Amino acid sequence: MTKKEAWHASVLVPVFVPAVVVIALLVLGTISNPTLASKVFASALAFITHTFGWFYMLSVAIFLIFIVLVAVSSWGNIKLGPDHAVPQYSFPAWFAMLFSAGYGIALLFFGVAEPVLHFAEPPQGAAGTLNAAKQAMQIAFFHWGFHIWAIYGLVGLVLSYFAFRHGLPLSMRSALYPLVGDRIHGPIGHTVDIFAILGTLFGVATTLGLSVAQINAGINYLWPQVPVATWVQIVAIALITAMALTSVLAGMDKGIKRLSILNMSLAVILMLFVFIVGPTLFILETFLQNTGSYLNNIIERTFNLQAYVRSDWIGNWTLFIFGWTIAWAPFVGLFIAKISRGRTIRQFVFGVMLVPSIFTFMWFSIFGDTALYLIMEEGYESLVGHVQADQALALFKLFEALPFSSLVSLVTVLLIITFFVTSSDSGSLVIDSLSAGGRDDSPVWHRSFWAITEGVVAATLLLAGGLKALQAMAITTALPFAVIMLLSVLGLWRALVIEGHTEVSLQGHMRRQQHGSASCSSGWRTRLAGMIRFPGRREVLDFIRGEVMDSMRRVRDGLREQGWHAEVVFDKENGRAFLEVIRNDEVDFIYDIRLCEYLRPNFSYPELPGDESDTPHYYRAEVFLRRGGQSYDIYGYATDQIIDDILGQFEKYLHFLHISPGVLPWNMEEHDDMLQKPVLTPQP
């Protein structure tokens, strides 16, 4: 392979090049005239929040309602992957990664600052009152509760469903497959991924900008000789981006997973410290009361745009946070999808929404209510002035009123840095995947390029106006992506309707015996031998190339004799054979045999304890249909048995068409490249 061919194989040029060009123009334009760029960003922010605020609020409401309804419906039982798939990560590791990638930095930045600022300047009523304190906590819960996790969860659900259940690329373009079909592989899909890259990049840049401002404030608090200045923050971006680059190169398990667990450990330690030394009883009481108030007022706040009292408050707070979340949704959603294969839709939704939201409510109760308690009960009123002067100082000024303030502040700076690194390397891996067409095996230079680019964009936006510039870019890039998310809601609904009809047809139709003539004297012996043997790759590959292909050709010829359009394809590279029956206006039938790799189970080593073997791999010839893996292996079947199995699945397919006429909104023909994509992930 030439260098040019290798480069084209590692990136999706129609996505990579336009995204890089747009980013380069923005960076160069901002650096050349930061003052003008700052004015442009401010004007864009004002226009979008004034004109499209209603659209953001309505979209977020739709996302929340849809994802909850899907989870509680019968669709919630559907696996994100084949029916036999199991989760790749334990629940604690899964939660740690999605939380660290999600908004760990945001909680550190706003955990104290937001309640104090709302207390000092509430959107309604008098400032500094008991009512203002209650209102401040309810607003904080609303901004960081179910709504933002519904945004992240929706994108993650759509991507993991289409990628792991239907073999489409793990890329934003796949969300539109039910609506545009194979055109996702053309300009429409490229455009969607470009917007996803830009949204992710500027969303991550916003987060990095907030984090370095807080790191700078913390360092200045610990060592006053280090000034709070833009140049210090840019140096911090450069140093920590280098750390993120190291984590990116280490990969998902060695880098991001370990850092995420470290993040969560430090965050929990910090929470417990403040909970114990702070007003513990007050925190417990306000946690329960604020949670109840949040649930009681969630509908009203969801649709509250302050239409009768126009101010900049909703644009500076609610719309910024929701817009920032939407802009960041491709990153967090795709990252969550990467680590969620094997979970059911219900597990996914409640895991992504409920657990992080409860943790968030605890965080704001511990930090926000402690700050309000110190202001109202202990007379620490100067905290309000410090936070209004510099939001990044809020957490450190809170620690001044608590024991061991210097040590705790140092731990907090370390925690912010690790969150920074986790966000940067997670974002780099996601953008890398998007710009490579869904591949996760891109070369080192590709991942390194995006890690460095994130740091450059964050530094550029800081030069062009700090927080206002970051807010403007987050909300601006969120606008087109909100439209894409609404379309993906429609696409996922259509796909789930079809899957529901498939399940009904299978339940309503008597299932043929899966193994057909395996009950004959020779067949059952073959089947038994297959159960207790663990064949190698060559044996199973020869079986697929021989008996499976021969059986498929016979069925194909029989179908053609009946006037049906059928094709048989063998993918030599991946050891995969499939029979496709093509119906122009209906869902096609595909019977797919895939070479799947597994870890050899411990019971296959009766002479060794489970921890003493090197656990080599073995292979299976597994059946896959449109709806995913069927959890059984046909290796060792005779030709007649394979034909019988094909016809049994085809009969169910015909029954599906019979009971669901006129309800097939989705032409499910897959792109040739995707039809040849193997599923070789080991399932222990």
Side-chain angles (χ1 to χ4, degrees), residues 410-491:
L410 179 61
V411 172
T412 302
V413 171
L414 294 176
L415 179 58
I416 297 168
I417 291 173
T418 57
F419 269 129
F420 186 137
V421 173
T422 308
S423 297
S424 180
D425 59 16
S426 302
S428 301
L429 289 174
V430 168
I431 297 175
D432 169 62
S433 177
L434 289 169
S435 61
R439 293 167 56 102
D440 57 4
D441 59 346
S442 57
V444 170
W445 74 264
H446 199 219
R447 286 173 281 164
S448 304
F449 171 81
W450 289 115
I452 295 169
T453 301
E454 287 169 3
V456 171
V457 171
T460 302
L461 291 176
L462 283 176
L463 286 172
L467 181 59
K468 283 293 183 182
L470 295 167
Q471 285 180 316
M473 290 309 302
I475 292 180
T476 301
T477 53
L479 184 60
F481 195 74
V483 177
I484 294 172
M485 288 184 65
L486 288 172
L487 293 175
S488 72
V489 166
L490 179 60

Side-chain angles (χ1 to χ4, degrees), residues 127-391:
T129 63
L130 183 61
N131 181 65
K134 294 179 181 178
Q135 189 179 169
M137 293 306 300
Q138 290 177 30
I139 292 171
F141 276 37
F142 174 70
H143 284 164
W144 302 101
F146 294 149
H147 291 73
I148 68 167
W149 284 102
I151 296 170
Y152 293 151
L154 176 65
V155 176
L157 177 61
V158 168
L159 292 178
S160 54
Y161 175 81
F162 287 116
F164 302 139
R165 191 81 176 166
H166 294 289
L168 291 169
L170 189 60
S171 183
M172 278 310 305
R173 66 179 65 216
S174 297
L176 300 188
Y177 187 81
L179 304 178
V180 301
D182 283 345
R183 284 178 290 177
I184 66 166
H185 303 285
I188 293 177
H190 300 333
T191 302
V192 169
D193 280 351
I194 290 170
F195 279 121
I197 288 174
L198 296 177
T200 299
L201 190 73
F202 293 121
V204 172
T206 301
T207 303
L208 302 188
L210 294 176
S211 67
V212 293
Q214 198 171 22
I215 289 171
N216 190 183
I219 293 175
N220 174 261
Y221 175 79
L222 293 170
W223 298 286
Q225 61 269 28
V226 179
V228 175
T230 301
W231 71 266
V232 176
Q233 296 170 16
I234 292 176
V235 171
I237 288 176
L239 293 175
I240 302 176
T241 298
M243 297 170 60
L245 185 60
T246 303
S247 179
V248 165
L249 299 180
M252 180 77 77
D253 289 335
K254 294 181 180 179
I256 296 174
K257 178 181 175 181
R258 293 175 181 174
L259 270 178
S260 298
I261 294 174
L262 174 62
N263 289 344
M264 284 305 302
S265 300
L266 289 175
V268 170
I269 290 172
L270 198 61
M271 285 178 63
L272 290 175
F273 170 78
V274 177
F275 177 74
I276 293 171
V277 303
T280 305
L281 183 60
F282 179 76
I283 291 171
L284 291 173
E285 292 174 342
T286 54
F287 170 74
L288 291 177
Q289 181 173 326
N290 292 328
T291 302
S293 298
Y294 165 73
L295 295 175
N296 186 53
N297 296 300
I298 190 171
I299 296 177
E300 180 183 356
R301 290 196 180 278
T302 298
F303 297 98
N304 182 14
L305 277 166
Q306 295 186 315
Y308 295 101
V309 184
R310 278 292 180 185
S311 69
D312 294 334
W313 185 92
I314 195 165
N316 291 333
W317 284 105
T318 305
L319 295 183
F320 162 62
I321 292 171
F322 285 175
W324 177 19
T325 304
I326 292 172
W328 218 17
F331 152 46
V332 180
L334 201 152
F335 181 75
I336 293 174
K338 276 179 173 284
I339 61 177
S340 300
R341 185 179 189 271
R343 300 191 181 276
T344 65
I345 289 178
R346 186 171 295 114
Q347 289 173 341
F348 177 90
V349 172
F350 286 109
V352 167
M353 286 186 57
L354 193 60
V355 178
S357 295
I358 292 174
F359 185 90
T360 300
F361 298 159
M362 293 173 59
W363 183 279
F364 273 98
S365 295
I366 290 173
F367 289 92
D369 275 315
T370 296
L372 295 178
Y373 180 87
L374 292 174
I375 294 170
M376 294 186 297
E377 302 295 333
E378 301 293 337
Y380 188 24
E381 296 179 359
S382 61
L383 178 60
V384 175
H386 290 307
V387 175
Q388 288 178 320
D390 187 354
Q391 297 177 34

Side-chain angles (χ1 to χ4, degrees), residues 541-556:
L541 191 58
D542 288 343
F543 171 75
I544 295 174
R545 186 185 291 112
E547 286 88 340
V548 171
M549 285 295 293
D550 181 52
S551 303
M552 288 183 174
R553 292 190 185 101
R554 293 189 187 188
V555 175
R556 176 200 62 190

